[in-house]
Amino acid sequence: MTKIQDKEVRILMASGGTGGHAYPCLVVAQAIRDLEPEAKFIFVGAKGKMDEALFAKHGFDFASIDVLGIPRGKGAFNLSKAAKSALKIISMSPLIESLRILRKFRPCIVFGAGGYVSGPLIAAAWLKRIPRAILETNAVPGLANKLLSRFSNAIFTGMQPAAGQFPRRCNIIMTGNPVRGGSQSEGQSI
């Protein structure tokens, strides 16, 4: 078993339910797997989203939590969705589900790729004092990452403009954005 400082490498990856969050998270996990082939991973996403099939296709375990994003548009539909999202948050069920996953998987780090799924998982890891990192691939950080930056040990960002939009006390590491190896014209696809 791969060990770092006598600890098994166990990484929980939280993905936001869209390709913009899932694919960078997948590329990071594959890069870690190349360096540490014995590392254990679990991806956590929202119930009913595209993540489960994507991660299973690449040989990663998956768990889901029942969480909703916060709608940002106007209209009755968004008002209804906002009320459902607020009720989920107030019930604390996403946080409780996240704590259960952490207790069962015992990660040495929780890595959030942004989006509403990262929120309860980073919060649960903060409560359990498990190291936390987030990835921001955009020039303008998303709402989840802006909020989670205060609870994270490190923020990996691919673009300089994003780095300037987090609090100064944050540990910001400029990495560039994760990209998959090869090109689609070479027949490699994710």
Side-chain angles (χ1 to χ4, degrees):
M1 191 60 54
T2 298
K3 297 193 180 223
I4 293 178
Q5 296 178 3
D6 296 326
K7 264 186 124 174
E8 205 175 49
V9 177
R10 302 176 70 80
I11 302 168
L12 185 147
M13 309 285 277
S15 171
T18 67
H21 298 292
Y23 284 102
C25 206
L26 180 61
V27 171
V28 169
Q30 288 174 324
I32 294 169
R33 186 187 263 174
D34 289 345
L35 295 171
E36 296 287 339
E38 299 293 318
K40 302 286 185 208
F41 290 88
I42 189 166
F43 280 82
V44 181
K47 286 184 180 169
K49 297 293 181 178
M50 53 84 70
D51 299 10
E52 184 171 9
L54 173 70
F55 299 129
K57 174 183 169 186
H58 293 281
F60 291 103
D61 291 332
F62 182 82
S64 64
I65 59 174
D66 192 11
V67 64
L68 297 171
I70 299 170
R72 302 221 199 133
K74 295 180 181 178
F77 174 75
N78 282 335
L79 184 57
S80 170
K81 197 171 175 185
K84 287 179 186 176
S85 182
L87 286 174
K88 283 227 183 276
I89 293 168
I90 291 168
S91 75
M92 296 185 60
S93 65
L95 181 64
I96 292 166
E97 288 178 81
S98 298
L99 287 166
R100 283 186 190 131
I101 291 168
L102 293 179
R103 185 177 60 241
K104 184 177 178 184
F105 184 68
R106 299 178 333 274
C108 55
I109 188 166
V110 173
F111 184 87
Y116 56 92
V117 174
S118 294
L121 287 152
I122 294 288
W126 179 78
L127 288 170
K128 301 289 274 176
R129 299 205 182 335
I130 297 168
R132 302 148 315 274
I134 57 175
L135 172 66
E136 180 55 66
T137 59
N138 301 304
V140 177
L143 177 62
N145 277 350
K146 283 182 184 175
L147 295 171
L148 296 174
S149 67
R150 298 180 191 308
F151 300 97
S152 298
N153 301 99
I155 301 167
F156 297 97
T157 184
M159 298 185 186
Q160 188 61 40
Q165 296 182 48
F166 289 109
R168 288 189 190 269
R169 66 175 178 74
C170 291
N171 181 20
I172 299 168
I173 303 163
M174 288 291 301
T175 59
N177 281 332
V179 294
R180 60 184 176 212
S183 70
Q184 288 182 334
S185 64
E186 295 172 344
Q188 295 182 2
S189 64
I190 291 185

PDB file of all heavy atoms in Angstrom, residues 160-178:
ATOM      1  N   GLN A 160      -3.874  33.709 -13.174  1.00  0.00           N
ATOM      2  CA  GLN A 160      -3.447  34.785 -12.271  1.00  0.00           C
ATOM      3  C   GLN A 160      -4.609  35.683 -11.826  1.00  0.00           C
ATOM      4  O   GLN A 160      -4.671  36.039 -10.652  1.00  0.00           O
ATOM      5  CB  GLN A 160      -2.336  35.618 -12.929  1.00  0.00           C
ATOM      6  CG  GLN A 160      -1.712  36.635 -12.002  1.00  0.00           C
ATOM      7  CD  GLN A 160      -1.043  35.999 -10.791  1.00  0.00           C
ATOM      8  OE1 GLN A 160      -0.399  34.969 -10.887  1.00  0.00           O
ATOM      9  NE2 GLN A 160      -1.209  36.614  -9.641  1.00  0.00           N
ATOM     10  N   PRO A 161      -5.548  36.054 -12.718  1.00  0.00           N
ATOM     11  CA  PRO A 161      -6.641  36.918 -12.243  1.00  0.00           C
ATOM     12  C   PRO A 161      -7.441  36.306 -11.091  1.00  0.00           C
ATOM     13  O   PRO A 161      -7.897  37.019 -10.211  1.00  0.00           O
ATOM     14  CB  PRO A 161      -7.521  37.096 -13.482  1.00  0.00           C
ATOM     15  CG  PRO A 161      -6.603  36.882 -14.639  1.00  0.00           C
ATOM     16  CD  PRO A 161      -5.622  35.847 -14.167  1.00  0.00           C
ATOM     17  N   ALA A 162      -7.580  34.994 -11.078  1.00  0.00           N
ATOM     18  CA  ALA A 162      -8.325  34.342 -10.001  1.00  0.00           C
ATOM     19  C   ALA A 162      -7.597  34.486  -8.674  1.00  0.00           C
ATOM     20  O   ALA A 162      -8.219  34.694  -7.633  1.00  0.00           O
ATOM     21  CB  ALA A 162      -8.548  32.872 -10.321  1.00  0.00           C
ATOM     22  N   ALA A 163      -6.278  34.376  -8.704  1.00  0.00           N
ATOM     23  CA  ALA A 163      -5.491  34.436  -7.476  1.00  0.00           C
ATOM     24  C   ALA A 163      -5.738  35.730  -6.714  1.00  0.00           C
ATOM     25  O   ALA A 163      -5.792  35.738  -5.483  1.00  0.00           O
ATOM     26  CB  ALA A 163      -4.007  34.277  -7.795  1.00  0.00           C
ATOM     27  N   GLY A 164      -5.898  36.825  -7.424  1.00  0.00           N
ATOM     28  CA  GLY A 164      -6.109  38.119  -6.782  1.00  0.00           C
ATOM     29  C   GLY A 164      -7.498  38.309  -6.197  1.00  0.00           C
ATOM     30  O   GLY A 164      -7.756  39.312  -5.536  1.00  0.00           O
ATOM     31  N   GLN A 165      -8.399  37.358  -6.412  1.00  0.00           N
ATOM     32  CA  GLN A 165      -9.773  37.509  -5.925  1.00  0.00           C
ATOM     33  C   GLN A 165     -10.071  36.696  -4.669  1.00  0.00           C
ATOM     34  O   GLN A 165     -11.204  36.658  -4.201  1.00  0.00           O
ATOM     35  CB  GLN A 165     -10.740  37.141  -7.047  1.00  0.00           C
ATOM     36  CG  GLN A 165     -10.611  38.116  -8.215  1.00  0.00           C
ATOM     37  CD  GLN A 165     -11.576  37.802  -9.318  1.00  0.00           C
ATOM     38  OE1 GLN A 165     -12.753  37.594  -9.071  1.00  0.00           O
ATOM     39  NE2 GLN A 165     -11.069  37.761 -10.540  1.00  0.00           N
ATOM     40  N   PHE A 166      -9.039  36.060  -4.120  1.00  0.00           N
ATOM     41  CA  PHE A 166      -9.185  35.342  -2.858  1.00  0.00           C
ATOM     42  C   PHE A 166      -8.551  36.177  -1.757  1.00  0.00           C
ATOM     43  O   PHE A 166      -7.684  37.007  -2.016  1.00  0.00           O
ATOM     44  CB  PHE A 166      -8.495  33.973  -2.943  1.00  0.00           C
ATOM     45  CG  PHE A 166      -9.210  32.998  -3.837  1.00  0.00           C
ATOM     46  CD1 PHE A 166      -8.663  32.638  -5.061  1.00  0.00           C
ATOM     47  CD2 PHE A 166     -10.419  32.435  -3.460  1.00  0.00           C
ATOM     48  CE1 PHE A 166      -9.307  31.730  -5.893  1.00  0.00           C
ATOM     49  CE2 PHE A 166     -11.073  31.534  -4.281  1.00  0.00           C
ATOM     50  CZ  PHE A 166     -10.523  31.178  -5.497  1.00  0.00           C
ATOM     51  N   PRO A 167      -8.947  35.972  -0.491  1.00  0.00           N
ATOM     52  CA  PRO A 167      -8.334  36.725   0.604  1.00  0.00           C
ATOM     53  C   PRO A 167      -6.815  36.537   0.625  1.00  0.00           C
ATOM     54  O   PRO A 167      -6.305  35.465   0.308  1.00  0.00           O
ATOM     55  CB  PRO A 167      -8.972  36.101   1.854  1.00  0.00           C
ATOM     56  CG  PRO A 167     -10.263  35.523   1.371  1.00  0.00           C
ATOM     57  CD  PRO A 167     -10.002  35.067  -0.037  1.00  0.00           C
ATOM     58  N   ARG A 168      -6.107  37.577   1.003  1.00  0.00           N
ATOM     59  CA  ARG A 168      -4.638  37.560   0.990  1.00  0.00           C
ATOM     60  C   ARG A 168      -4.052  36.458   1.873  1.00  0.00           C
ATOM     61  O   ARG A 168      -2.993  35.937   1.578  1.00  0.00           O
ATOM     62  CB  ARG A 168      -4.089  38.905   1.452  1.00  0.00           C
ATOM     63  CG  ARG A 168      -4.284  39.999   0.454  1.00  0.00           C
ATOM     64  CD  ARG A 168      -3.507  41.238   0.911  1.00  0.00           C
ATOM     65  NE  ARG A 168      -3.846  42.382   0.112  1.00  0.00           N
ATOM     66  CZ  ARG A 168      -3.212  42.731  -0.986  1.00  0.00           C
ATOM     67  NH1 ARG A 168      -2.217  42.004  -1.415  1.00  0.00           N
ATOM     68  NH2 ARG A 168      -3.580  43.797  -1.660  1.00  0.00           N
ATOM     69  N   ARG A 169      -4.723  36.124   2.939  1.00  0.00           N
ATOM     70  CA  ARG A 169      -4.173  35.129   3.860  1.00  0.00           C
ATOM     71  C   ARG A 169      -4.270  33.708   3.321  1.00  0.00           C
ATOM     72  O   ARG A 169      -3.725  32.776   3.903  1.00  0.00           O
ATOM     73  CB  ARG A 169      -4.851  35.226   5.218  1.00  0.00           C
ATOM     74  CG  ARG A 169      -6.319  34.864   5.199  1.00  0.00           C
ATOM     75  CD  ARG A 169      -6.893  34.873   6.610  1.00  0.00           C
ATOM     76  NE  ARG A 169      -8.301  34.580   6.601  1.00  0.00           N
ATOM     77  CZ  ARG A 169      -8.843  33.387   6.386  1.00  0.00           C
ATOM     78  NH1 ARG A 169      -8.077  32.360   6.149  1.00  0.00           N
ATOM     79  NH2 ARG A 169     -10.149  33.220   6.416  1.00  0.00           N
ATOM     80  N   CYS A 170      -4.958  33.496   2.217  1.00  0.00           N
ATOM     81  CA  CYS A 170      -5.099  32.160   1.638  1.00  0.00           C
ATOM     82  C   CYS A 170      -3.787  31.692   1.028  1.00  0.00           C
ATOM     83  O   CYS A 170      -3.020  32.484   0.489  1.00  0.00           O
ATOM     84  CB  CYS A 170      -6.184  32.152   0.555  1.00  0.00           C
ATOM     85  SG  CYS A 170      -7.844  32.373   1.198  1.00  0.00           S
ATOM     86  N   ASN A 171      -3.546  30.393   1.118  1.00  0.00           N
ATOM     87  CA  ASN A 171      -2.366  29.774   0.518  1.00  0.00           C
ATOM     88  C   ASN A 171      -2.693  29.459  -0.948  1.00  0.00           C
ATOM     89  O   ASN A 171      -3.262  28.414  -1.247  1.00  0.00           O
ATOM     90  CB  ASN A 171      -1.995  28.505   1.294  1.00  0.00           C
ATOM     91  CG  ASN A 171      -0.776  27.828   0.730  1.00  0.00           C
ATOM     92  OD1 ASN A 171       0.022  28.424   0.022  1.00  0.00           O
ATOM     93  ND2 ASN A 171      -0.640  26.552   1.045  1.00  0.00           N
ATOM     94  N   ILE A 172      -2.348  30.383  -1.830  1.00  0.00           N
ATOM     95  CA  ILE A 172      -2.685  30.252  -3.246  1.00  0.00           C
ATOM     96  C   ILE A 172      -1.470  29.723  -3.998  1.00  0.00           C
ATOM     97  O   ILE A 172      -0.368  30.256  -3.883  1.00  0.00           O
ATOM     98  CB  ILE A 172      -3.139  31.600  -3.829  1.00  0.00           C
ATOM     99  CG1 ILE A 172      -4.394  32.068  -3.090  1.00  0.00           C
ATOM    100  CG2 ILE A 172      -3.391  31.477  -5.331  1.00  0.00           C
ATOM    101  CD1 ILE A 172      -4.783  33.491  -3.372  1.00  0.00           C
ATOM    102  N   ILE A 173      -1.706  28.672  -4.763  1.00  0.00           N
ATOM    103  CA  ILE A 173      -0.629  28.035  -5.521  1.00  0.00           C
ATOM    104  C   ILE A 173      -1.007  28.072  -6.997  1.00  0.00           C
ATOM    105  O   ILE A 173      -2.015  27.495  -7.401  1.00  0.00           O
ATOM    106  CB  ILE A 173      -0.418  26.579  -5.050  1.00  0.00           C
ATOM    107  CG1 ILE A 173      -0.119  26.564  -3.546  1.00  0.00           C
ATOM    108  CG2 ILE A 173       0.677  25.908  -5.860  1.00  0.00           C
ATOM    109  CD1 ILE A 173      -0.299  25.227  -2.889  1.00  0.00           C
ATOM    110  N   MET A 174      -0.212  28.786  -7.776  1.00  0.00           N
ATOM    111  CA  MET A 174      -0.445  28.865  -9.225  1.00  0.00           C
ATOM    112  C   MET A 174       0.093  27.596  -9.879  1.00  0.00           C
ATOM    113  O   MET A 174       1.296  27.338  -9.825  1.00  0.00           O
ATOM    114  CB  MET A 174       0.258  30.090  -9.808  1.00  0.00           C
ATOM    115  CG  MET A 174      -0.376  31.412  -9.440  1.00  0.00           C
ATOM    116  SD  MET A 174      -1.980  31.650 -10.212  1.00  0.00           S
ATOM    117  CE  MET A 174      -1.548  31.546 -11.929  1.00  0.00           C
ATOM    118  N   THR A 175      -0.786  26.822 -10.473  1.00  0.00           N
ATOM    119  CA  THR A 175      -0.388  25.554 -11.080  1.00  0.00           C
ATOM    120  C   THR A 175      -0.622  25.501 -12.577  1.00  0.00           C
ATOM    121  O   THR A 175      -0.108  24.612 -13.244  1.00  0.00           O
ATOM    122  CB  THR A 175      -1.179  24.393 -10.463  1.00  0.00           C
ATOM    123  OG1 THR A 175      -2.576  24.631 -10.683  1.00  0.00           O
ATOM    124  CG2 THR A 175      -0.894  24.250  -8.987  1.00  0.00           C
ATOM    125  N   GLY A 176      -1.410  26.418 -13.090  1.00  0.00           N
ATOM    126  CA  GLY A 176      -1.919  26.249 -14.440  1.00  0.00           C
ATOM    127  C   GLY A 176      -3.109  25.312 -14.356  1.00  0.00           C
ATOM    128  O   GLY A 176      -3.351  24.681 -13.330  1.00  0.00           O
ATOM    129  N   ASN A 177      -3.868  25.223 -15.409  1.00  0.00           N
ATOM    130  CA  ASN A 177      -5.044  24.353 -15.390  1.00  0.00           C
ATOM    131  C   ASN A 177      -4.662  22.931 -15.777  1.00  0.00           C
ATOM    132  O   ASN A 177      -3.845  22.720 -16.663  1.00  0.00           O
ATOM    133  CB  ASN A 177      -6.127  24.885 -16.329  1.00  0.00           C
ATOM    134  CG  ASN A 177      -6.897  26.019 -15.715  1.00  0.00           C
ATOM    135  OD1 ASN A 177      -7.024  26.094 -14.496  1.00  0.00           O
ATOM    136  ND2 ASN A 177      -7.418  26.903 -16.532  1.00  0.00           N
ATOM    137  N   PRO A 178      -5.294  21.961 -15.114  1.00  0.00           N
ATOM    138  CA  PRO A 178      -5.010  20.570 -15.462  1.00  0.00           C
ATOM    139  C   PRO A 178      -5.555  20.239 -16.846  1.00  0.00           C
ATOM    140  O   PRO A 178      -6.667  20.623 -17.193  1.00  0.00           O
ATOM    141  CB  PRO A 178      -5.739  19.772 -14.375  1.00  0.00           C
ATOM    142  CG  PRO A 178      -6.769  20.687 -13.829  1.00  0.00           C
ATOM    143  CD  PRO A 178      -6.266  22.082 -14.049  1.00  0.00           C
TER     144      PRO A 178
END
